[in-house]
């Protein structure tokens, strides 16, 4: 694993990463920790994965804690930020990587599944954005996650793309609402990325077809996406604000 960076920029910076123990969120936790940030690994159900992530970060010389919270529960998310501030003194970066995926034709989707999806992906994103807007220190960054399917519009992704479209709609609005605070707000929209969530339920043929769709002819990796987040939350990326960045190897 990359050694911990102790540059002046990184010292004392703190990141809250929701969904930070699995998939892209875990890769983000590792990447930001490698850049010297203290990491608050948020999770909702898999305690073992969260503890494993924290153990890996601390073994590499980083600082990290795990905090359980449902992102759609405003009291739990407020408590998450309270614990971040109590442990590390404040919050400089918030990455909302928590999310759900449900695939079905619009005509067939169970509306209870739709409600659960939107509870996490829309309400949860809004709740985390509220706390980020209230708690981030000057010079900070908020990064949300959308999906490139908002642009590609593949069948069966209607509910998921709709939930992520809501996040894209909030991005520039929140950036403008934080005028004068020196805080950036951006959204990363990955293309097909080799995570457990993406691979689950797909055939080898489906995966191979999706891998060949970008001009770069491969699936993205969680680390590819984590590198984008690291840039957006760095001093070098601080002029980028209110943007949707489609990190997808050249898809539409």
């Amino acid at each position: 694993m990359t050694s911990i960076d102790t540059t002046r920029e990184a010292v004392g910076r703190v990141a809250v990463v929701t969904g930070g123990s699995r998939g892209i969120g875990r890769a983000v936790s590792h990447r930001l920790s490698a850049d010297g940030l203290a990491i608050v690994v948020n999770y909702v159900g898999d305690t073992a994965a969260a503890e494993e992530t924290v153990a890996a970060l601390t073994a590499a010389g980083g600082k990290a804690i795990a905090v359980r919270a449902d992102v759609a529960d405003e009291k739990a998310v407020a408590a998450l930020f309270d614990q971040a501030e109590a442990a590390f003194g404040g919050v400089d970066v918030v990455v909302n990587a928590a999310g759900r995926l449900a695939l079905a034709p619009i005509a067939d989707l169970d509306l209870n599944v739709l409600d659960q999806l939107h509870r996490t992906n829309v309400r949860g994103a809004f709740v985390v954005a509220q706390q980020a807007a209230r708690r981030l220190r000057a010079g900070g960054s908020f990064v949300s996650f959308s999906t490139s399917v908002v642009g590609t519009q593949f069948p069966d992704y209607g509910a998921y793309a709709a939930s992520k479209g809501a996040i894209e709609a909030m991005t520039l609005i929140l950036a403008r609402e934080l005028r004068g605070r020196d805080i950036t707000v951006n959204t990363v929209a990955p293309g097909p990325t080799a995570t457990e969530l993406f691979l689950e339920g797909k055939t080898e043929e489906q995966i191979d077809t999706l891998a060949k769709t970008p001009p770069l002819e491969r699936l993205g990796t969680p680390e590819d996406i984590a590198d984008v987040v690291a840039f957006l939350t760095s001093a070098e990326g601080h002029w980028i604000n209110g943007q949707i960045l489609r990190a997808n190897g050249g898809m539409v």
Side-chain angles (χ1 to χ4, degrees):
M1 184 175 293
T2 306
S3 61
I4 300 299
D5 180 2
T6 56
T7 61
R8 179 177 298 277
E9 179 198 351
V11 172
R13 298 181 72 213
V14 180
V16 172
V17 184
T18 70
S21 64
R22 298 179 64 184
I24 290 173
R26 179 172 178 143
V28 169
S29 294
H30 277 276
R31 181 66 171 82
L32 295 184
S33 180
D35 284 348
L37 281 76
I39 309 297
V40 179
V41 178
N42 162 252
Y43 69 103
V44 68
D46 193 340
T47 302
E51 291 178 347
E52 179 184 340
T53 301
V54 169
L57 298 181
T58 55
K63 297 179 180 179
I65 60 171
V67 180
R68 184 172 186 168
D70 174 359
V71 292
D73 181 337
E74 65 271 26
K75 293 182 180 178
V77 174
L80 163 66
F81 278 76
D82 288 343
Q83 291 184 64
E85 292 172 350
F88 299 121
V91 178
D92 303 282
V93 172
V94 176
V95 180
N96 184 39
R100 288 178 179 264
L101 173 64
L103 302 180
I106 290 171
D108 300 332
L109 183 68
D110 184 328
L111 293 181
N112 289 324
V113 173
L114 177 70
D115 289 343
Q116 294 168 8
L117 180 77
H118 283 211
R119 183 179 185 276
T120 298
N121 291 4
V122 181
R123 179 186 169 88
F126 200 95
V127 168
V128 174
Q130 279 190 327
Q131 288 299 321
R134 296 169 182 172
R135 310 281 194 120
L136 278 168
R137 295 188 284 205
S141 300
F142 176 56
V143 177
S144 288
F145 277 93
S146 177
T147 171
S148 287
V149 178
V150 172
T152 61
Q153 299 183 0
F154 293 144
D156 297 339
Y157 281 84
Y160 182 66
S163 72
K164 295 301 188 175
I167 292 171
E168 293 194 8
M170 287 190 286
T171 302
L172 183 55
I173 292 171
L174 182 57
R176 287 171 170 169
E177 289 176 349
L178 296 179
R179 175 183 291 274
R181 297 262 310 273
D182 192 27
I183 293 170
T184 63
V185 179
N186 293 290
T187 292
V188 178
T193 305
T195 64
E196 182 180 336
L197 184 68
F198 169 80
L199 297 173
E200 185 178 358
K202 291 183 175 68
T203 66
E204 287 297 324
E205 183 179 7
Q206 289 172 321
I207 294 169
D208 186 58
T209 298
L210 287 166
K212 290 179 179 177
T213 301
L216 295 180
E217 294 190 328
R218 68 171 175 86
L219 294 177
T221 68
E223 290 72 25
D224 288 328
I225 309 305
D227 287 342
V228 174
V229 173
F231 174 69
L232 291 174
T233 59
S234 70
E236 291 79 5
H238 202 66
W239 188 235
I240 300 172
N241 192 23
Q243 303 302 307
I244 313 300
L245 200 162
R246 303 215 183 284
N248 57 28
M251 295 173 66
V252 174

